[in-house]
Amino acid sequence: MAGSFDVLIIGNGVLGLSTANALVARDPEIRVAVIGPQARTYGASPAAGAMMGCFGEITRASVAGKYGPIKLGLGLQARKLWPTWLEGLNARLPEADRLAITPGTFVVANNRSGLIEDENFTVMRRTLQQYQERFEDVDPLHITGMHPAGDSRPTAALFMPDEGSLDSSRLLAGLAGAAVRSSRVSFLEDTVSGLLVEGSRVVGVQLADGQTLNAKHVLLASGVQSQKVLDSLPDLARRVPRLLPGMGTSLVLETTDFPLNPSVIRTPNRAFACGLHVVPRGANRVYVGATNNTMLAPADRPTVSDVFFLMDCMMEQIHQGYQNAKLISTAVGNRPIAIDTLPLIGGTSVEGLWIASGTYRDGLFLSPLVSQHMAGLILGQGGLMENVFPPERKPINRFTREEAMEETARHYAAAGWEHGIRIPKVGWHETFARMFKRTITTVYEEIGTDYVLPPEFVYVVDNDRERMVPYFRDYYRSVDAAW
């Protein structure tokens, strides 16, 4: 054996590093190893916008049904933990490295998306009222840092003082620095090729170079890359909803041509993706994101179309003055999306093997909750939340097929408007609606299962039916066989 530890954490993103810190805080004698390449090439954390809020992510669909309020509840629970979590983290960091949440989020709705944007804005506002959260309606034409094109003027806006943002790169550095200073955490810049199991319990991992590490507990927290490791145990992998990457592209821009807003400016979530968002990144710089492309394999470079889309959105919908901004950097992240879009958090039937993934767009925001929950479970002290989303489960149908088809049609229409579609004024608005319905219906019929494929995956199948229909059909058949 190359080494022996109490806990091996596969993944050095925000969830993995946060759990390492949570374990050390609870047990100063524990020996933890965090495994992962420093570049985090296919991770979600390095490219995250790190908007620190749960109400800004609300959509009509996200709060619907049995599981919508449960997911929102996790976000509210995590938000309460952030102040204490940052206080503990900062106590172990030099003053220059300490972290603070930049407060405030403006949510603006405009007419560059479909009706889905207005609906999501309305539901967000209503949910804020329902939970008695602080917010105020504001004049959308007088928000600092906004000067959109005439055909992209916002129609409504609200401000949430209790939601804000963090710099994800500084958070990663802070988590790593705090773990190093504990002297109980080792960092191994390597990848894991498989899990080692004896009988019904995990005993360690095999590294890519053939060496092995042993441990009583192994936590799989490497985002979408967790799937490759999990596949080394095929019987278990079939019983855990499969993870697929949601590729997101972001830009960092710099400008001194006009005052930037010190708070987040974002739209409601839109077609198949998060909304357009502009996040402060210190003096004269902003982070810009808006994309989500569900794929079979993770990506490490942005596409021309995504970069163009972000630049176009930025200049038309936020501020025309960004035409002269300097492009500082681009980044790509791969959000871990479970096949039912719900988290995978907790233990498995393999004793000592734990999973924290499938958090989609919420991993960084939920990290104080998920990490301390996992630390408590691993140490036998109990968790912080009800085990609603255990990793080992059948894919959950969040919606009926009819509900999913209706939502998917809304996303298709919104995608068209966002990309500047012009429909001939000869009744083609009805033609397009029928076309969307036929397209979506045939996707579900060809896959042929009682499991309801979420809207995020429908367009992926439709764009490559020859390959994707057999892929998802075979996957769901394997799930039925496993259960």
Side-chain angles (χ1 to χ4, degrees), residues 49-53 100-108 134 136 138 142-146 158-167 258-267 276-288 314 318 322:
M51 291 182 287
M52 306 299 293
I101 294 174
T102 301
T105 295
F106 290 91
V107 182
V108 298
R134 293 199 300 162
E136 60 178 304
V138 296
H142 292 88
I143 298 173
T144 299
M146 285 200 70
L158 60 82
F159 178 71
M160 296 179 288
D162 299 325
E163 301 205 351
S165 65
L166 265 177
D167 186 324
F258 55 89
L260 300 178
N261 200 302
S263 297
V264 173
I265 300 176
R266 63 165 301 165
T267 70
L276 171 63
H277 49 279
V278 181
V279 184
R281 279 289 187 267
N284 305 323
R285 291 189 178 185
V286 292
Y287 166 107
V288 187
M314 191 70 181
I318 303 298
Y322 277 112

Side-chain angles (χ1 to χ4, degrees), residues 43-183:
S45 299
M51 291 182 287
M52 306 299 293
C54 48
F55 286 92
E57 290 289 310
I58 282 176
T59 67
R60 186 180 67 92
S62 75
V63 294
K66 173 182 177 181
Y67 296 98
I70 294 173
K71 280 205 68 183
L72 178 58
L74 296 181
L76 291 171
Q77 194 174 351
R79 189 176 68 174
K80 291 178 181 178
L81 295 175
W82 267 105
T84 303
W85 178 250
L86 282 182
E87 182 180 349
L89 182 61
N90 286 334
R92 302 194 299 277
L93 294 175
E95 187 171 352
D97 297 337
R98 290 175 184 170
L99 301 152
I101 294 174
T102 301
T105 295
F106 290 91
V107 182
V108 298
N110 61 36
N111 62 356
R112 292 306 301 270
S113 187
L115 290 175
I116 194 171
E117 176 152 331
D118 293 334
E119 292 170 344
N120 290 343
F121 184 88
T122 299
V123 170
M124 182 190 307
R125 192 178 183 283
R126 185 166 62 236
T127 308
L128 284 162
Q129 292 173 325
Q130 177 185 345
Y131 283 81
Q132 299 183 330
E133 291 290 320
R134 293 199 300 162
F135 79 96
E136 60 178 304
D137 295 307
V138 296
D139 184 344
L141 299 179
H142 292 88
I143 298 173
T144 299
M146 285 200 70
H147 180 45
D151 61 355
S152 301
R153 298 188 309 277
T155 56
L158 60 82
F159 178 71
M160 296 179 288
D162 299 325
E163 301 205 351
S165 65
L166 265 177
D167 186 324
S168 57
S169 61
R170 293 195 70 232
L171 177 61
L172 283 167
L175 289 167
V180 166
R181 287 177 177 82
S182 74
S183 76

Side-chain angles (χ1 to χ4, degrees), residues 84-419:
T84 303
W85 178 250
L86 282 182
E87 182 180 349
L89 182 61
N90 286 334
R92 302 194 299 277
L93 294 175
E95 187 171 352
D97 297 337
R98 290 175 184 170
L99 301 152
I101 294 174
T102 301
T105 295
F106 290 91
V107 182
V108 298
N110 61 36
N111 62 356
R112 292 306 301 270
S113 187
L115 290 175
I116 194 171
E117 176 152 331
D118 293 334
E119 292 170 344
N120 290 343
F121 184 88
T122 299
V123 170
M124 182 190 307
R125 192 178 183 283
R126 185 166 62 236
T127 308
L128 284 162
Q129 292 173 325
Q130 177 185 345
Y131 283 81
Q132 299 183 330
E133 291 290 320
R134 293 199 300 162
F135 79 96
E136 60 178 304
D137 295 307
V138 296
D139 184 344
L141 299 179
H142 292 88
I143 298 173
T144 299
M146 285 200 70
H147 180 45
D151 61 355
S152 301
R153 298 188 309 277
T155 56
L158 60 82
F159 178 71
M160 296 179 288
D162 299 325
E163 301 205 351
S165 65
L166 265 177
D167 186 324
S168 57
S169 61
R170 293 195 70 232
L171 177 61
L172 283 167
L175 289 167
V180 166
R181 287 177 177 82
S182 74
S183 76
R184 304 303 297 175
V185 180
S186 301
F187 286 85
L188 305 176
E189 189 168 355
D190 211 325
T191 57
V192 172
S193 60
L195 299 164
L196 303 177
V197 175
E198 292 182 0
S200 61
R201 74 164 294 118
V202 71
V203 295
V205 303
Q206 182 169 358
L207 301 177
D209 63 4
Q211 295 189 79
T212 58
L213 301 172
N214 67 350
K216 299 175 184 177
H217 299 276
V218 174
L219 172 63
L220 198 47
S222 53
V224 72
Q225 293 294 86
S226 300
Q227 189 63 53
K228 282 188 176 181
V229 181
L230 193 58
D231 284 343
S232 67
L233 302 178
D235 290 340
L236 176 62
R238 284 191 290 268
R239 297 172 65 89
V240 176
R242 192 162 189 84
L243 289 165
L244 294 168
M247 171 195 170
T249 299
S250 63
L251 314 175
V252 174
L253 304 178
E254 182 178 271
T255 183
T256 56
D257 290 351
F258 55 89
L260 300 178
N261 200 302
S263 297
V264 173
I265 300 176
R266 63 165 301 165
T267 70
N269 285 346
R270 292 168 159 180
F272 299 113
C274 49
L276 171 63
H277 49 279
V278 181
V279 184
R281 279 289 187 267
N284 305 323
R285 291 189 178 185
V286 292
Y287 166 107
V288 187
T291 64
N292 182 70
N293 296 309
T294 310
M295 309 165 76
L296 292 188
D300 62 350
R301 295 183 182 181
T303 65
V304 170
S305 63
D306 279 350
V307 172
F308 172 80
F309 177 69
L310 286 174
M311 291 180 173
D312 196 45
C313 289
M314 191 70 181
M315 289 184 286
E316 292 199 343
Q317 300 179 47
I318 303 298
H319 202 296
Q320 296 166 86
Y322 277 112
Q323 62 177 331
N324 295 319
K326 294 182 177 67
L327 176 59
I328 302 301
S329 63
T330 64
V332 166
N334 295 275
R335 305 176 182 96
I337 312 176
I339 196 74
D340 57 9
T341 73
L342 294 170
L344 308 174
I345 300 172
T348 69
S349 57
V350 177
E351 188 179 353
L353 177 62
W354 311 84
I355 300 177
S357 190
T359 46
Y360 203 173
R361 290 192 292 263
D362 301 330
L364 189 147
F365 178 61
L366 293 178
S367 58
L369 173 62
V370 173
S371 61
Q372 293 180 87
H373 175 72
M374 295 307 305
L377 293 179
I378 290 170
L379 295 173
Q381 300 171 354
L384 297 182
M385 55 187 179
E386 186 182 352
N387 193 27
V388 178
F389 304 115
E392 210 165 339
R393 66 170 190 257
K394 293 181 180 181
I396 293 170
N397 287 339
R398 293 193 64 182
F399 313 104
T400 65
R401 181 180 291 190
E402 290 70 26
E403 290 169 339
M405 289 173 60
E406 180 185 348
E407 184 68 14
T408 305
R410 292 170 183 267
H411 283 270
Y412 264 110
W417 291 118
E418 284 187 49
H419 287 270

Side-chain angles (χ1 to χ4, degrees), residues 244 294 337-341 453-461 472:
L244 294 168
T294 310
I337 312 176
I339 196 74
D340 57 9
T341 73
L453 192 70
E456 288 88 339
F457 297 102
V458 173
Y459 77 93
V460 181
V461 177
F472 283 97

